[in-house]
Amino acid sequence: MRKYLFMLLVFLFFIFTANQVVFSHDGEEFAISSGDAWMDNYTLVITDAKTINEAWDAVEEISRAGGHIGVVIPNQVMLGWVPQEKVKTLVGRSKIRNIYQKPISDSSRKAIVKRLSASSIEFGKIDENAKENAIQFFNEVVSGEYKLKKSQMQTQMKAAAVKPHMLPDSFEAPPVSYRNYMNNLLANGITEDTLQKAGIYAKQTPEGAISLSPGNSDYMVGRILFNAIFVESNGGIDPNTYTWTAADRTTIQNEIIAGLSWWANTAWTYTTYHTPISFATLFRYNANCLTSYEPISHPSSDDYLWINQIMANFGYGSGDQFARTTAFNTAQRTAYNTNWATVSFIGYNPSPASTTFTDGYFAYAYIRGPYSQLLFRNNGWGTSSYDIVNAHETGHLYGASDEYYQAGYGGCTSCAAATNNVLNGNCEYCNANSIDCMMKSNSSSLCGYTPGQLGWRNIQSMELKTYDTSGNYKYFFAPGESIQYKVYYCIAGPRYGSTTHAVRVRFRADYFSGALGSSSNVSDDTGWASAGTVTPPTSTGLSCYVTWWNRTVPAATYGTGSLSVQLELANIGRGSISDNFKFYVAEGADTTEPSTELSPETASPNEGPSTEPIEK
């Protein structure tokens, strides 16, 4: 029997509308930021890609055009965001066949589905209808139907005074046997040489456990494989009480896409750097997902029963559920050319079944994987809230800590540094200023600490133009000329006690040198330097700062200059920063000054460049 208890916190209500309402512990209402921003400019991309690498080529093509793909249904259906003015130029490149930003008629949708070429991925091991369902989901989003359903759900839950129950839902996985892990991979044709070629190094500790570098879900960045397995009982041991319906599978598929789209859009828009996340999402429902057990008739601690059987069906039959799912995730990374991979098991419990396992738990995940376990109906969270329940658990799979606490149930109990050495400063057990967010109340926002735990670190902006003191673009630089680069940035809270965060900044300028038209350049790099300390706001809002760099243009410089800026806050991570940049030529040179605090009203220099050097 597993010694670890599992489950999901989830206790406050959230909704996708422009003016959302959630409930605090005592039921009072308060507004939070809009959670439906991912629906804006939502775009469907259809490709002719026959391999996953061709699909990734299309994703990169869209990224170069200033767009971003959040979800890929391998290999030909993609959902994300594409600048409207780039649509025509992208069609025809990298096997991109069509791009849609408005609802598609039924006849056109059927034609698209009919002409989708057969993919090379294992059709016998995924839901063949996933692509068509994703296209229909796109229609629901861009037509406004999906948002309306969310609004109706809010009204119904509020009228029913639904307050979902809380239980601990994030746990540390035990050590994984190196022997069982490698036996599972070898059984599927994956050797140590295969892993090393993929940049994955598996070593054995003195205790016989696996030391995997990098792990399967160290950070929520880059390409991620998300496996959704619809667990189906076959009556072998337990009575086959419930059987997934196609309609209910489609509902959960849509909710998973919605939650992953929220993560991808949040990471992409949180700072000007754009943290790229693209989820290759596989919905698996077939013979490999069959088990002799009916999960909802068991305690959550029995999850190894169905997980071990299902993993064996996929060819991973050595060791416990942690060894099997860890090996499965590693194999999936290599097969789909992703940076990371996790797997989520979904039990079916339609009405009148219980909305929890027999021990009261209902959804949970392991920090940095290897798996999460959810139900079709998760306690007080209806099926239309599956998106945020799954988004919360996915946060755990990639390092985000719980930030809620309730006496008698559990949750976070420390504000000390957690994943990636980033404080868990929003933990309500130890921070009276704690604010509601995805990892505390399943609301569609992030506190200043979660992004750093996910690996969203440093801010960086490339190819930034400079201005002269009259507000004009500065294209050419004279040798010995004085240049001042000014960076505005704001950090999100909440403040944890009297904690301040050390700031490091690094400026690098590359100037074309030699004759005009020459491809040679001269670089000027400050290296990392201290920029003082900053303090987050007490609760919501931003604390804003400015720092700057005065430099003398190197000799023999004639061309334009490009600039990269990196800014790092200790123990908080890049994602906490709402950043704006402004660069201009100043008279006189000086050394880099520590960060200077500003009022939020003066911290957004989007109206144009400043014409005065900063007062010192």
Side-chain angles (χ1 to χ4, degrees):
M1 295 283 288
R2 189 179 59 191
K3 296 181 180 178
Y4 307 90
L5 293 175
F6 315 95
M7 353 315 22
L8 176 131
L9 95 280
V10 261
F11 51 101
L12 301 175
F13 174 61
F14 145 86
I15 146 157
F16 282 111
T17 59
N19 295 303
Q20 301 170 24
V21 172
V22 294
F23 294 93
S24 66
H25 292 302
D26 56 6
E28 66 177 336
E29 300 178 7
F30 56 96
I32 60 174
S33 58
S34 175
D36 56 20
W38 66 269
M39 301 184 201
D40 296 338
N41 195 40
Y42 206 49
T43 302
L44 170 68
V45 178
I46 302 296
T47 79
D48 289 323
K50 289 184 170 60
T51 68
I52 191 62
N53 285 333
E54 288 180 345
W56 291 132
D57 286 343
V59 170
E60 290 298 320
E61 188 76 48
I62 291 168
S63 178
R64 286 191 293 269
H68 180 57
I69 293 298
V71 176
V72 177
I73 312 296
N75 294 312
Q76 301 145 326
V77 177
M78 302 178 181
L79 294 162
W81 307 270
V82 175
Q84 196 170 33
E85 67 274 13
K86 298 291 185 179
V87 169
K88 290 184 179 180
T89 60
L90 283 168
V91 172
R93 297 182 181 179
S94 299
K95 296 188 180 295
I96 297 173
R97 176 186 277 268
N98 297 106
I99 298 178
Y100 302 92
Q101 295 182 317
K102 294 181 180 180
I104 305 169
S105 67
D106 283 345
S107 59
S108 295
R109 178 174 56 84
K110 291 177 182 178
I112 293 169
V113 172
K114 185 176 181 180
R115 73 169 182 257
L116 285 176
S117 59
S119 175
S120 64
I121 62 176
E122 355 153 51
F123 266 117
K125 299 180 182 179
I126 65 171
D127 189 329
E128 297 180 25
N129 297 317
K131 296 177 183 179
E132 183 173 5
N133 292 340
I135 295 171
Q136 182 57 42
F137 174 68
F138 162 79
N139 265 1
E140 291 184 13
V141 172
V142 296
S143 68
E145 180 183 348
Y146 184 76
K147 186 174 181 179
L148 178 61
K149 287 195 299 186
K150 291 292 182 181
S151 179
Q152 292 171 339
M153 174 271 292
Q154 174 199 27
T155 302
Q156 293 168 2
M157 288 185 69
K158 184 176 180 180
V162 173
K163 297 181 72 173
H165 196 47
M166 292 191 342
L167 284 173
D169 75 304
S170 64
F171 304 92
E172 296 287 341
V176 172
S177 162
Y178 175 86
R179 178 179 178 182
N180 289 330
Y181 171 81
M182 287 306 305
N183 283 345
N184 282 317
L185 291 179
L186 291 171
N188 287 273
I190 299 176
T191 65
E192 287 188 348
D193 184 58
T194 305
L195 296 180
Q196 291 181 9
K197 288 180 179 178
I200 305 170
Y201 296 88
K203 297 182 180 180
Q204 184 173 194
T205 69
E207 296 75 27
I210 183 179
S211 177
L212 193 62
S213 179
N216 287 329
S217 52
D218 290 351
Y219 308 107
M220 189 188 281
V221 298
R223 300 172 182 171
I224 298 173
L225 189 71
F226 187 93
N227 271 287
I229 293 181
F230 292 85
V231 180
E232 184 62 86
S233 58
N234 62 12
I237 295 177
D238 295 337
N240 181 15
T241 308
Y242 304 106
T243 299
W244 279 98
T245 67
D248 284 345
R249 290 201 316 273
T250 297
T251 294
I252 297 305
Q253 287 181 17
N254 291 348
E255 292 298 294
I256 289 174
I257 292 174
L260 297 182
S261 293
W262 178 84
W263 272 120
N265 181 259
T266 299
W268 188 249
T269 59
Y270 212 79
T271 71
T272 58
Y273 173 75
H274 302 312
T275 298
I277 300 176
S278 296
F279 293 94
T281 309
L282 300 180
F283 300 106
R284 299 184 182 272
Y285 180 77
N286 55 31
N288 285 339
C289 303
L290 293 174
T291 174
S292 302
Y293 302 93
E294 187 67 81
I296 197 60
S297 66
H298 288 261
S300 61
S301 54
D302 279 355
D303 70 355
Y304 69 94
L305 295 174
W306 53 88
I307 290 176
N308 281 348
Q309 283 191 348
I310 291 171
M311 286 291 95
N313 294 341
F314 279 96
Y316 300 83
S318 181
D320 62 15
Q321 76 268 37
F322 300 102
R324 300 183 192 203
T325 53
T326 301
F328 176 74
N329 290 335
T330 299
Q332 293 289 286
R333 287 168 65 190
T334 61
Y336 291 94
N337 191 18
T338 60
N339 305 104
W340 320 105
T342 49
V343 57
S344 182
F345 298 90
I346 310 163
Y348 192 44
N349 59 333
S351 181
S354 170
T355 60
T356 71
F357 291 107
T358 59
D359 55 5
Y361 292 94
F362 49 99
Y364 50 90
Y366 289 89
I367 297 292
R368 286 185 166 177
Y371 70 88
S372 64
Q373 171 69 61
L374 290 87
L375 294 172
F376 172 62
R377 297 187 301 141
N378 292 284
N379 203 9
W381 299 93
T383 55
S384 59
S385 296
Y386 192 96
D387 56 337
I388 54 175
V389 176
N390 187 63
H392 178 100
E393 300 308 332
T394 302
H396 288 318
L397 289 173
Y398 289 89
S401 301
D402 271 324
E403 296 166 5
Y404 76 94
Y405 174 79
Q406 183 169 323
Y409 292 98
C412 63
T413 57
S414 173
C415 286
T419 313
N420 290 326
N421 199 36
V422 174
L423 294 173
N424 196 28
N426 195 45
C427 172
E428 67 175 332
Y429 178 83
C430 45
N431 189 351
N433 298 319
S434 179
I435 61 175
D436 288 286
C437 57
M438 177 57 72
M439 302 314 297
K440 178 184 173 185
S441 58
N442 284 8
S443 59
S444 57
S445 60
L446 296 178
C447 73
Y449 303 90
T450 297
Q453 293 172 10
L454 296 172
W456 305 357
R457 303 182 68 84
N458 301 334
I459 58 175
Q460 187 174 34
S461 291
M462 302 296 293
E463 302 301 327
L464 295 164
K465 294 178 179 179
T466 55
Y467 300 94
D468 62 22
T469 52
S470 297
N472 300 313
Y473 285 136
K474 177 73 175 181
Y475 290 108
F476 298 98
F477 302 91
E481 184 174 12
S482 297
I483 304 291
Q484 184 176 69
Y485 300 103
K486 186 164 64 172
V487 181
Y488 292 83
Y489 63 99
C490 301
I491 63 171
R495 185 183 310 165
Y496 163 47
S498 59
T499 301
T500 59
H501 302 279
V503 182
R504 294 197 309 163
V505 66
R506 182 175 191 171
F507 293 88
R508 176 187 170 94
D510 290 286
Y511 306 96
F512 287 108
S513 62
L516 292 179
S518 170
S519 60
S520 62
N521 64 74
V522 173
S523 296
D524 190 11
D525 191 339
T526 66
W528 284 108
S530 172
T533 59
V534 297
T535 303
T538 301
S539 56
T540 57
L542 301 170
S543 291
C544 298
Y545 295 84
V546 62
T547 189
W548 57 89
W549 179 42
N550 295 284
R551 213 64 168 178
T552 300
V553 176
T557 301
Y558 300 97
T560 58
S562 64
L563 180 76
S564 67
V565 182
Q566 292 177 293
L567 190 69
E568 182 177 69
L569 280 73
N571 299 119
I572 196 166
R574 184 192 73 233
S576 63
I577 303 168
S578 171
D579 48 300
N580 293 285
F581 297 86
K582 181 166 58 178
F583 308 89
Y584 65 95
V585 180
E587 295 181 0
D590 202 346
T591 57
T592 302
E593 296 289 339
S595 296
T596 300
E597 189 166 10
L598 302 170
S599 69
E601 289 75 21
T602 62
S604 299
N606 294 326
E607 299 301 320
S610 171
T611 58
E612 297 292 335
I614 301 171
E615 293 292 335
K616 298 188 173 58

